[in-house]
Amino acid sequence: MARKRKGEGQTALVTGASAGIGVDLAECFAKNGYDLILTARSAPALDEVAVRLASAHDVKATTIAQDLGAIGGGAKLAAEIKQRGLSVDVLVNNAGYGSAGALTHSSIEEQLGMIDLNDRALVELTYLFWNDMLANKRGGLLNVASTAAFQPGPLMAVYYASKAFVLSFSEALWEEARGTGVKVSCLCPGPTASKFRERAGTGTKRLAQSGVMPSMPVALQGYRAFERNQRVIIPGMRNVMLATVARTLPRTQVLRTVRRLQEPA
Ligand SMILES: NC(=O)c1ccc[n+]([C@@H]2O[C@H](COP(=O)([O-])OP(=O)(O)OC[C@H]3O[C@@H](n4cnc5c(N)ncnc54)[C@H](OP(=O)(O)O)[C@@H]3O)[C@@H](O)[C@H]2O)c1
């Protein structure tokens, strides 16, 4: 008889599952037997991922296209999930974007949109599924922050701050969930190959010139950390080192270094 997979009988909702790290996170959960609910804005891309993962890993995969940057997008998604008779054991808050450049002359819609997607929707979805997770004493939360979370980011200020929020929020919930059976992990990737850097405009920055990791090892480390309820996971030795140094150096020095890294190479 085949061995029961870890996630069998559970469902993982993965946001931002149409591209990049989200696709690979969805694959890690599917491989371990979790059924999937995949969401992002691009329905055709989501459908492609769902068909591939369902057949490769013998799980159910449902897609729901939703703009999570829209106010109330999380509530709409949760209502649709309920209406379809589905439930969520694990919430993977991965959808997010960055926008590089000085605050001056930037677009306020772009800046606030980052907070709406990276933080607001993440809190909204967490709030909507958290009580059931605690009541069921299983499942949990895998939030995707960034190594940007460990220090302020001149020339990408809102993005760095939005990810510091994700890290702080996740660590606090890890403690709130301690002893309940509900797991919380915060995945903090450094530069990773995906569509992110193109959208963020960071492809030419010093920071992105080396040490870019492929998305699957990043996702896999996030998945494994989640399963062992590891509070924070930073994939890659270089990224661990940079995050550690950022917490120990004088703040002014860190600010100048990050500014230099955010400048074009
Ligand atoms: N790549 C990196 O270097 C890096 C480093 C650190 C942290 N991260 C974080 O990793 C996460 C995933 O990023 P990625 O690198 O995989 O980027 P990506 O390839 O650009 O993927 C982003 C995903 O988010 C979805 N998304 C974007 N806007 C959305 C919206 N308004 N509503 C719903 N979904 C939306 C996108 O799908 P649609 O466009 O179809 O909506 C896509 O599925 C993000 O939170 C990012 O901040 C990335």
Side-chain angles (χ1 to χ4, degrees):
M1 205 173 72
R3 210 157 55 99
K4 192 171 180 282
R5 292 181 291 176
K6 208 170 230 134
E8 253 156 55
Q10 296 192 63
T11 300
L13 166 62
V14 184
T15 74
S18 64
I21 300 169
V23 174
D24 291 339
L25 282 168
E27 174 134 34
C28 292
F29 280 91
K31 205 171 177 176
N32 286 282
Y34 289 85
D35 289 331
L36 299 172
I37 304 172
L38 305 178
T39 189
R41 291 166 303 176
S42 328
L46 282 177
D47 289 341
E48 251 182 69
V49 175
V51 168
R52 179 172 68 80
L53 296 184
S55 80
H57 302 294
D58 193 22
V59 296
K60 286 190 210 109
T62 305
T63 63
I64 302 175
Q66 177 64 50
D67 181 355
L68 288 173
I71 305 301
K76 255 184 157 172
L77 174 64
E80 182 65 28
I81 289 171
K82 197 169 175 197
Q83 214 238 320
R84 295 194 194 191
L86 300 168
S87 57
V88 171
D89 300 286
V90 177
L91 169 61
V92 183
N93 278 312
N94 162 76
Y97 76 89
S99 183
L103 187 66
T104 179
H105 301 315
S106 66
S107 145
I108 188 63
E109 288 79 19
E110 183 87 345
Q111 300 292 357
L112 293 179
M114 253 182 293
I115 298 172
D116 289 339
L117 180 64
N118 301 2
D119 300 329
R120 193 179 204 284
L122 178 142
V123 172
E124 184 178 32
L125 286 173
T126 302
Y127 180 82
L128 290 167
F129 296 112
W130 187 243
N131 286 347
D132 284 347
M133 289 174 189
L134 292 173
N136 296 336
K137 298 181 172 42
R138 70 171 193 178
L141 199 59
L142 173 55
N143 286 339
V144 181
S146 166
T147 46
F150 297 100
Q151 67 284 300
L155 303 182
M156 206 171 176
V158 172
Y159 178 72
Y160 276 59
S162 78
K163 292 300 184 177
F165 178 96
V166 175
L167 177 61
S168 172
F169 178 65
S170 307
E171 290 198 82
L173 288 192
W174 179 87
E175 174 57 28
E176 286 188 28
R178 191 158 50 83
T180 64
V182 174
K183 296 176 278 204
V184 180
S185 285
C186 187
L187 170 61
C188 299
T192 305
S194 75
K195 293 181 175 166
F196 174 87
R197 290 176 309 142
E198 197 184 309
R199 176 160 188 202
T202 54
T204 59
K205 310 295 178 198
R206 281 200 179 93
L207 184 62
Q209 294 310 296
S210 63
V212 177
M213 289 181 69
S215 55
M216 185 48 100
V218 169
L220 192 57
Q221 288 193 48
Y223 169 76
R224 288 182 177 151
F226 169 76
E227 288 296 8
R228 55 178 183 262
N229 195 27
Q230 183 176 333
R231 200 176 73 249
V232 180
I233 173 79
I234 305 170
M237 271 320 292
R238 176 183 182 261
N239 296 326
V240 172
M241 212 183 69
L242 288 174
T244 311
V245 167
R247 282 180 287 190
T248 50
L249 284 181
R251 207 60 155 175
T252 46
Q253 198 178 333
V254 171
L255 288 166
R256 272 175 213 151
T257 307
V258 176
R259 181 183 185 140
R260 208 168 49 79
L261 289 172
Q262 288 299 345
E263 281 168 350

